[in-house]
């Protein structure tokens, strides 16, 4: 239920929750086309909003509205339960509007995202991907920030049922048992997986790349400053020489 009038906010607190949104597209096999499929359609694709590493996000995300190209029947699709995704077939690329509606306790306006649906390979191995008929994944990492949430939402974001264990005898089960199982976490995984390219390790690698790029830019700036100083000195000498000859 929505936060009641006069409900208190938790002052000075910001809580973020990570998620990914994007699309995956696969060329349709000409030798195995579904019956009745539009003959112009070349790909099957899905657009989605989901948790990092497929974690459950339905405790803060109520529903998602996907707005497809107007040529699709029922182009505005409201998905009210996970998985928050729409699957279709087609031949062209277009922008998909995704409107995220939060749980009523958030008492926050819906957030709008835009995603460019990708059907065709891109990058240095585009031709190889095309020949291998590989799926084309195009997705983005994003975070939603709840600033000074209402107390009811704060309770939802910071508590709840524990994540399910893989089994009684699974590795790490004893370690998990020692943790506060009612505490939710927004930490992204330390190591990336085939399903999730986002991790603390890739984040650190990206930071290192940015630091190296910054050093390169700084060196180029110093080099250009030196060239400019040299030119200014030459101009001063020419002006002085012109004044003496005049």
């Amino acid at each position: 239920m929505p936060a009641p009038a006069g409900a208190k906010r938790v002052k000075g607190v910001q809580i973020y929750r990570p998620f990914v949104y994007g699309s995956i597209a696969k060329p349709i096999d000409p030798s195995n086309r579904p019956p009745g499929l539009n003959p112009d359609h070349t790909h099957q694709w899905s657009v989605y909003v989901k948790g990092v590493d497929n974690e459950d996000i339905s405790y803060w995300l109520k529903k998602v509205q996907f707005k497809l190209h107007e040529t699709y029947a029922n182009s505005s699709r409201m998905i009210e339960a996970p998985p928050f995704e729409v699957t279709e077939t087609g031949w062209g690329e277009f922008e998909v509007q995704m409107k995220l509606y939060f749980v009523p306790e958030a008492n926050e306006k819906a957030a709008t995202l835009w995603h460019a649906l990708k059907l065709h390979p891109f990058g240095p191995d585009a031709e190889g991907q095309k020949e291998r008929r590989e799926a084309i994944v195009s997705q983005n990492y994003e975070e939603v920030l709840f600033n000074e949430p209402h107390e009811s939402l704060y309770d939802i974001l910071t508590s709840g049922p524990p994540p399910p264990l893989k089994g009684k005898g699974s590795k790490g089960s004893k370690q998990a048992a020692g943790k506060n199982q009612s505490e939710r976490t927004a930490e992204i995984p330390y190591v990336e997986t085939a399903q999730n390219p986002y991790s603390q390790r890739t984040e650190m690698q990206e930071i290192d790349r940015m630091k190296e790029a910054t050093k390169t830019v700084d060196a180029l700036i110093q080099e250009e400053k030196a060239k400019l100083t040299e030119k200014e000195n030459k101009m001063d000498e020419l002006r002085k020489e012109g004044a003496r000859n005049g």
Side-chain angles (χ1 to χ4, degrees):
M1 57 181 293
K8 293 181 180 180
R9 288 186 177 270
V10 183
K11 298 295 184 181
V13 171
Q14 291 182 327
I15 298 179
Y16 75 91
R17 287 294 177 263
F19 65 96
V20 294
Y21 67 97
S23 60
I24 180 170
K26 179 75 174 177
I28 296 172
D29 186 351
S31 63
N32 191 28
R33 291 180 65 87
L37 181 65
N38 187 316
D40 294 329
H41 288 192
T42 59
H43 291 73
Q44 182 180 65
W45 51 261
S46 297
V47 288
Y48 54 80
V49 176
K50 62 182 182 179
V52 174
D53 223 9
N54 289 318
E55 291 182 357
D56 178 31
I57 59 175
S58 62
Y59 66 94
W60 59 263
L61 184 62
K62 176 70 173 177
K63 56 187 178 181
V64 178
Q65 182 184 49
F66 296 88
K67 286 192 176 181
L68 312 180
H69 193 272
E70 59 185 11
T71 54
Y72 283 89
N74 185 24
S75 60
S76 181
R77 315 278 178 92
M78 184 69 80
I79 308 301
E80 300 190 12
F84 300 108
E85 65 178 40
V86 168
T87 298
E88 270 288 358
T89 61
W91 57 266
E93 299 179 339
F94 56 91
E95 276 199 316
V96 180
Q97 184 192 74
M98 304 176 181
K99 201 166 186 179
L100 279 58
Y101 293 86
F102 305 113
V103 292
E105 290 85 354
N107 199 27
E108 301 285 353
K109 294 180 179 178
T112 301
L113 302 171
W114 291 89
H115 174 71
L117 173 65
K118 295 290 184 184
L119 302 184
H120 307 290
F122 52 93
D125 190 34
E127 288 303 317
Q129 287 181 295
K130 188 174 182 180
E131 291 179 6
R132 295 188 296 270
R133 305 183 65 81
E134 293 181 357
I136 306 304
V137 178
S138 173
Q139 68 177 11
N140 300 279
Y141 173 90
E142 188 57 89
E143 295 174 356
V144 59
L145 175 67
F146 296 101
N147 185 41
E148 297 188 343
H150 288 95
E151 290 178 341
S152 55
L153 178 62
Y154 178 84
D155 291 339
I156 291 174
L157 294 174
T158 57
S159 65
L165 297 177
K166 293 184 178 180
K168 292 182 180 179
S170 62
K171 292 183 179 180
S173 58
K174 290 183 179 179
Q175 181 181 2
K179 294 181 179 180
N180 181 2
Q181 291 291 327
S182 66
E183 183 179 356
R184 294 190 189 272
T185 176
E187 292 292 328
I188 60 175
Y190 179 74
V191 179
E192 66 275 13
T193 64
Q195 293 76 28
N196 171 49
Y198 307 106
S199 68
Q200 295 179 42
R201 185 170 68 175
T202 54
E203 183 180 51
M204 289 186 288
Q205 290 172 345
E206 185 64 24
I207 290 173
D208 289 340
R209 282 194 291 268
M210 292 176 66
K211 286 180 179 178
E212 290 301 317
T214 300
K215 290 179 182 178
T216 301
V217 171
D218 287 342
L220 290 173
I221 291 173
Q222 294 303 320
E223 183 180 337
E224 291 300 318
K225 283 183 176 180
K227 290 179 181 179
L228 180 59
T229 300
E230 184 180 354
K231 289 180 180 179
E232 288 176 342
N233 291 337
K234 279 189 176 182
M235 289 295 296
D236 287 340
E237 291 176 4
L238 290 173
R239 280 194 289 266
K240 290 176 180 178
E241 184 178 347
R244 285 196 299 268
N245 294 336

